[in-house]
Amino acid sequence: MSPTSVSPADPTPEPARNSSLNTDTEALDPFAMLALADNQQRSIEQQMGSFVPALALIWAVAWSVGFTMLWLIDGLAPKFSLPLPAAIITFASLILVAAGLSTWMSIRANRGIKSSAESAFTGIIYGAMWAAGSIAIIVFGYGLEANGMSAELATIYYPTAFVLFAGIMYVMAGAIWSESFSAVTGGLLMVLAVVGPFCGYPNHYLWFGLAGGGTFALLALVSFIRLRRVRALAEGGGRHG
Amino acid sequence: MADLDPVIHAQARLRITAALATLDQDQSIAFPRLQELLDMTPGNLSTHLKKLEDADYIVQTKEFLGRKPVTYLRLSTRGRRAYEDYREQLRALLDREP
């Protein structure tokens, strides 16, 4: 294929195409070429990771509103008490919507990317672990209740176990896919989980809502600032490393 | 600059190689997605991919998604090494500059 040959699907007008090819085949000075390579990699990173701040913000809202709803069951009693079904339905809905949006955004960001069979296997096992681990926590809880765990203690066990499990899974994801952002998030969730029970019922819900929601909000802000910096470097150039 | 790899030492091919180098070694990317990320026309991208393929720097595989053929691309081991060497050469050139 000659340098000027084009696919029939190429909609670019001939002059623009030739001009673009001429520019594309030229080389710049070493500094500019190195900057071009760095900026291109930053641009890819920015484009593929642009969903992260929104994702963290969605979880910030789900945690802060969801757990606050649970806290409102008894947290302001006797002045105010949110009916149990309303609190649980709101909490579950928020978590399910956030999980659904997370899945959709991750799939969309990774569209067109194909991994090897080994990597796909890792992803399938990891995804299945979320479901298997969640079911295990519930069955384990039923087992404890069957052996005398009180209803009040159960309200501490379930959310704490889920937050701890989520933290472990985030750390695992960070380790498997070398994602420091995920590993840090997981570590913070694990700290929140072990502190939670010491707040006692119902204030542990408020702790998970404020500290957990705040953690995700902070991560949203940090990832937003980081992406903006990457975008500025990718668009405006910058010193190579 | 005579020693610089002429296959990579062109703006478009450097951008393509740099983009493919961001993927893991076992990952490949569909042609339309790469085109979208690089903001290049299909014809321009095809032209430069052909040059990279002729140098064995990329591996192309064709698959069918339903009835639609999709081309997936990834850097070969040789291509990844060539890109890393190219960057090293650029750095060495810059270090030599006063």
Side-chain angles (χ1 to χ4, degrees):
Chain A
M1 194 183 280
S2 73
T4 51
S5 68
V6 289
S7 144
D10 186 354
T12 314
E14 194 70 26
R17 206 159 49 210
N18 286 338
S19 160
S20 165
L21 275 178
N22 290 340
T23 309
D24 286 350
T25 50
E26 284 172 7
L28 305 169
D29 65 79
F31 180 85
M33 288 302 267
L34 195 52
L36 181 67
D38 286 342
N39 293 342
Q40 185 58 63
Q41 293 194 306
R42 289 188 191 110
S43 169
I44 299 290
E45 185 189 344
Q46 187 269 324
Q47 289 182 71
M48 295 190 74
S50 59
F51 71 105
V52 174
L55 185 73
L57 194 62
I58 285 167
W59 280 106
V61 172
W63 276 56
S64 56
V65 176
F67 277 112
T68 303
M69 291 292 121
L70 294 178
W71 177 71
L72 284 173
I73 296 168
D74 285 325
L76 294 177
K79 288 180 187 166
F80 173 79
S81 180
L82 190 69
L84 184 70
I88 288 178
I89 288 170
T90 306
F91 175 78
S93 302
L94 283 166
I95 297 297
L96 285 176
V97 168
L101 284 172
S102 295
T103 307
W104 178 74
M105 290 166 105
S106 301
I107 289 171
R108 194 175 141 68
N110 287 301
R111 70 189 182 281
I113 309 286
K114 189 166 67 82
S115 297
S116 65
E118 289 82 7
S119 295
F121 178 76
T122 305
I124 290 167
I125 295 294
Y126 177 80
M129 273 306 294
W130 272 103
S134 300
I135 292 167
I137 286 170
I138 292 167
V139 174
F140 184 45
Y142 283 157
L144 291 175
E145 287 183 78
N147 284 280
M149 182 168 71
S150 68
E152 191 168 304
L153 199 53
T155 62
I156 290 184
Y157 162 76
Y158 285 109
T160 303
F162 276 113
V163 173
L164 183 63
F165 175 61
I168 292 169
M169 291 300 284
Y170 270 81
V171 171
M172 291 297 290
I176 293 169
W177 291 290
S178 302
E179 293 282 349
S180 54
F181 188 82
S182 180
V184 169
T185 305
L188 290 171
L189 291 183
M190 289 173 74
V191 171
L192 293 183
V194 296
V195 171
F198 294 99
C199 299
Y201 177 88
N203 291 332
H204 69 308
Y205 286 139
L206 194 60
W207 165 255
F208 289 140
L210 295 180
T215 298
F216 279 110
L218 182 67
L219 291 169
L221 182 67
V222 169
S223 59
F224 177 74
I225 291 169
R226 185 171 170 273
L227 272 175
R228 262 186 54 167
R229 203 187 64 200
V230 169
R231 187 185 300 148
L233 284 167
E235 289 172 354
R239 285 204 63 83
H240 56 83
Chain B
M1 275 196 264
D3 293 330
L4 288 169
D5 187 336
V7 179
I8 297 180
H9 194 53
Q11 289 180 56
R13 290 194 292 280
L14 177 60
R15 289 183 60 216
I16 295 167
T17 316
L20 291 175
T22 60
L23 299 176
D24 291 341
Q25 267 185 316
D26 68 341
Q27 286 183 320
S28 51
I29 185 167
F31 181 94
R33 179 69 165 142
L34 181 64
Q35 185 206 330
E36 176 193 316
L37 289 168
L38 290 169
D39 194 20
M40 291 171 79
T41 64
N44 199 5
L45 181 56
S46 295
T47 303
H48 291 293
L49 285 174
K50 180 75 171 64
K51 286 186 185 295
L52 291 167
E53 192 181 24
D54 288 346
D56 288 332
Y57 284 2
I58 59 164
V59 178
Q60 298 202 42
T61 50
K62 288 198 191 303
E63 290 186 14
F64 280 88
L65 284 178
R67 288 184 176 180
K68 197 178 166 190
V70 181
T71 301
Y72 281 93
L73 307 139
R74 67 175 171 83
L75 273 187
S76 64
T77 306
R78 179 185 161 94
R80 197 170 285 271
R81 192 173 299 140
Y83 175 66
E84 285 162 9
D85 289 346
Y86 175 80
R87 289 183 61 102
E88 282 305 310
Q89 281 180 297
L90 287 180
R91 284 203 188 93
L93 280 170
L94 291 171
D95 288 344
R96 258 183 262 155
E97 281 183 8

